[in-house]
Amino acid sequence: MSGEADRPGNGEKSGGEENRGERGGSSQKHGAHGRPLTLRERWEAYKNSPFLPATVLVLIVAAAAGLFAGSYTYAMANPTPHRIPAALVTEPEVAGGRAFVTGMEKALDASLQLRTYPDTADARRALDEQKVFAIVRASDDGDGIALDVAGASGASVAELLGKAGLEVGEDTGTEVTVKDIKPLQRGDPRGLALFYISLAAVIMGFLGAIQLSVHAHGLNPAERIAFTVAYALLGGFAIAAAVDWWLGAVDLPFVQSWLILAFTMFTSGMVFTMFNTLMGRWAMIPTWGVMVLLGNPSSGGAVSWPLLPSALGHIGRWLPPGASVNAQHTAVYYQGHQFVFPYLVLAGWALVSCTVFWVWRHRHPGGRARTPEHAATAS
């Protein structure tokens, strides 16, 4: 009986049930009180959740994939000649030269720009200085035309000029001899090795900076720059050693090529660090845009600048990937005819990036908090 008396009756609620009822009532009260969320409230909740940046990343990756494919296709799918400088040797006079030149200009859609030189030696010097891509001169036997091209100045340009020269010679009834007087190395018949090693340096350069931000978040500014220098030097050495010593694809001037690659990696890494300082977690967007979407297709490595759309051909020289390809190309094939311009481009980007990072380093999402000296002593 006592057990039955102690049990709550039909009209009574246990304490737990009462509490649940209260909570339920409170919940119902809140539900009644809590009308459906407004659009603004839903947006605020979504904005503060991890779903917003995840959605943005989905859209960015999809857009970047399309732009990546589009940028390379635009630059390389249908190379069209735009302003190809060539040397015309006037002495001795080229037999049938006027008709041949007229035919070449027509075949190349008026993009052949002839520069006259008094003799073959001056024309060859201009080719070594990369002022011209080909030489039109009298053949050695004087009965026809010799068209000297330079595969090292761009395999695609040399191939285009050689093919057009033979076709024009056949159309005009002129004997044309095509010779590559500055050929590419045997292990790199298409001239793409230098483009790919520069591409590797660019991409690994900013990937290294990203990994420092993720896995070495606490590095202070000077330490971050120092470690960027370290991985750039080691990475540049590894790239050069793999291509030259291990694969034997290209015979590099090793120290110079190594330092160009290291300079490229450092510059690329600091470009990301600069954007990370200015834009935080979205730094990859401008980095990818400048270095990959725009920089690599316009670098002149896969398709020579005279065959790129004219705007890309001009822009590419001022971006780190184009400067790296240009410096590497000259170091390998045109020793003694070095240009300072590509090194100045790399140095300019590196200097600007380091300066922005250093001046606004307090905004960079990294570094260690400095513990006051008296606090450290007290503890």
Side-chain angles (χ1 to χ4, degrees), residues 8 13 21 59 70 77 83 143 151 163 185 189 212 216 221 224 236 252 261 271-272 276 303 308 312 321 354 357 367:
K13 295 182 179 178
L59 297 175
R83 188 179 168 274
D143 292 334
K163 182 180 179 181
Q185 294 185 22
L212 282 182
R224 185 173 297 274
L252 300 174
L261 292 167
V271 165
F272 172 82
N276 200 22
V303 174
L308 288 172
L312 283 182
C354 288
F357 170 52

Side-chain angles (χ1 to χ4, degrees), residues 217-230:
H217 186 76
L219 290 176
N220 285 330
E223 297 165 344
R224 185 173 297 274
I225 293 175
F227 276 94
T228 305
V229 171

